[in-house]
Amino acid sequence: MKLFEYARAESPDTAVAQGSADGARFIAGGTNLLDLMKLQVETPHRLIDISRLPLTDIEEIAGGGLRIGALVPNSDLAADPKIRDRYEVLSRALLAGASGQLRNKASTGGNLLQRTRCYYFYETAARCNKRLPGSGCDAQEGFNRILAVLGTSEHCIATHPSDMAVAMQALDATIVTLRGDGERRRIPIRDFYRLPGDTPQIENVLTPGELITHVELPPAPTGRQTYRKVRDRASYAFALVSVAGIVGMEDGRIASAQLAFGGLGPMPWRDTAVESTLVGRAPSDALFAEAADVLLRDAKGFGSNDFKIPLARRTLIATLRELTA
């Protein structure tokens, strides 16, 4: 780990002012950033400690939604009665996401900003365009078992690791930020992440020093909710494939569907064409297979991860069976 300066922010405004400097990074729980610093994958010159800012509340907002402070620990968010009763898919995703110790430290805002667990990103001797733009991507010809099959580019096939963000994507969350000019932005999560393209090092739309202060959820959706995660072991493992699903039924037909996927792409993946395929039709295995065809129409494996494509099909079909039973 390289030497760095440390400062503790006393307010969101001072945090943004301090965090706008070159080489500065915010730190809350540090469950991802500290690992990256130890390996010198990330080498910030200055850490801005935001862990004591007053961003730890879960509040009702007009219209029936919730406002979640960026520093609410994952364990508190998963256990909150409002989340468990109205946004079960989010609680389930959080509980599937990590060990209890990590959930006690990991923050809501930090979870959204997790960086990939691609082996080549973490190995500084390997070529990685996300870590060192223009160096190449050893993952494409290497061991890529956990990596993406949707939304990839010739420059990067990394996956986004968050479970929480997959549920947030299905719930149409909005990310609220504060910028250095005092402007507050409201960013729909569908617009927050970026595909790798030829700039895989740019993972989201945040500007330097921009601070996530809250996440807002719309009113609770109607219908059944679930989070299904397929992983190598039952505890503390990242998703090979996951599905956050919300399906409403009416008169024997699917009236509404909200589906997001983890383990498949460089961002929490959502394809509204999959949902459109389902809505208005009676549930059946044939329909679910058709939805899987839509989801995976552009899927591409890279050898070790080819199995993810049929696994995603089976996982989606099983999830839809559960939600429409």
Side-chain angles (χ1 to χ4, degrees):
M1 184 182 290
K2 293 188 176 181
L3 293 175
F4 58 89
E5 297 179 354
Y6 169 87
R8 182 182 296 173
E10 301 300 329
S11 70
D13 288 328
T14 58
V16 169
Q18 294 170 319
S20 298
D22 288 341
R25 290 292 307 273
F26 297 125
I27 186 167
T31 55
N32 186 203
L33 179 58
L34 290 178
D35 286 343
L36 295 171
M37 290 175 65
K38 290 173 185 177
L39 296 170
Q40 296 190 22
V41 174
E42 295 216 20
T43 55
H45 303 309
R46 184 177 178 86
L47 287 185
I48 312 302
D49 185 349
I50 61 171
S51 63
R52 291 165 177 80
L53 297 182
L55 301 173
T56 57
D57 293 329
I58 302 173
E59 307 168 293
E60 301 277 358
I61 57 178
L66 290 181
R67 179 183 292 113
I68 302 163
L71 297 178
V72 174
N74 285 178
S75 54
D76 291 1
L77 186 60
D80 186 271
K82 296 183 289 295
I83 298 296
R84 293 175 62 186
D85 293 344
R86 291 150 56 180
Y87 305 95
E88 179 186 358
V89 63
L90 178 55
S91 182
R92 284 174 174 259
L94 286 161
L95 293 173
S99 67
Q101 295 92 330
L102 284 172
R103 291 197 301 270
N104 288 340
K105 291 295 292 182
S107 66
T108 299
N111 195 308
L112 293 169
L113 298 176
Q114 283 186 81
R115 306 208 68 189
T116 182
R117 263 55 179 194
C118 174
Y119 311 120
Y120 300 94
F121 175 70
Y122 273 75
E123 175 50 71
T124 55
R127 297 184 305 155
C128 174
N129 289 315
K130 187 180 286 291
R131 178 171 31 78
L132 184 63
S135 63
C137 176
D138 280 341
Q140 303 207 22
E141 300 297 329
F143 185 62
N144 45 51
R145 183 173 182 274
I146 66 171
L147 300 182
V149 296
L150 292 172
T152 60
S153 76
E154 61 181 317
H155 300 281
C156 186
I157 61 172
T159 43
H160 193 277
S162 172
D163 291 283
M164 184 199 80
V166 177
M168 293 285 196
Q169 184 79 276
L171 288 166
D172 292 314
T174 296
I175 298 165
V176 183
T177 69
L178 178 64
R179 302 211 292 193
D181 56 7
E183 178 189 358
R184 289 195 176 273
R185 282 210 293 170
R186 294 172 50 81
I187 309 167
I189 193 169
R190 65 178 177 273
D191 299 327
F192 183 74
Y193 296 102
R194 289 180 41 149
L195 290 173
D198 57 4
T199 55
Q201 74 278 12
I202 304 175
E203 299 173 350
N204 55 62
V205 299
L206 294 180
T207 57
E210 189 168 5
L211 175 69
I212 296 175
T213 60
H214 298 87
V215 176
E216 293 183 352
L217 299 179
T222 57
R224 290 184 178 179
Q225 305 179 34
T226 195
Y227 187 74
R228 182 180 290 257
K229 180 177 181 179
V230 181
R231 46 188 163 174
D232 285 323
R233 58 184 185 274
S235 176
Y236 189 37
F238 296 101
L240 297 172
V241 176
S242 66
V243 183
I246 308 165
V247 172
M249 297 290 296
E250 187 174 316
D251 298 328
R253 295 181 178 273
I254 298 172
S256 60
Q258 295 166 237
L259 298 165
F261 303 85
L264 297 180
M267 63 175 70
W269 196 260
R270 188 169 178 186
D271 184 345
T272 55
V274 179
E275 299 163 11
S276 298
T277 300
L278 296 166
V279 172
R281 302 172 68 181
S284 68
D285 281 356
L287 175 62
F288 302 157
E290 184 180 338
D293 288 340
V294 174
L295 171 67
L296 299 167
R297 62 191 181 279
D298 297 321
K300 176 186 177 183
F302 293 87
S304 301
N305 68 349
D306 290 351
F307 76 98
K308 281 194 173 190
I309 297 173
L311 178 61
R313 171 180 296 275
R314 294 194 299 271
T315 305
L316 174 57
I317 290 172
T319 304
L320 290 172
R321 284 174 180 161
E322 176 187 349
L323 290 170
T324 59

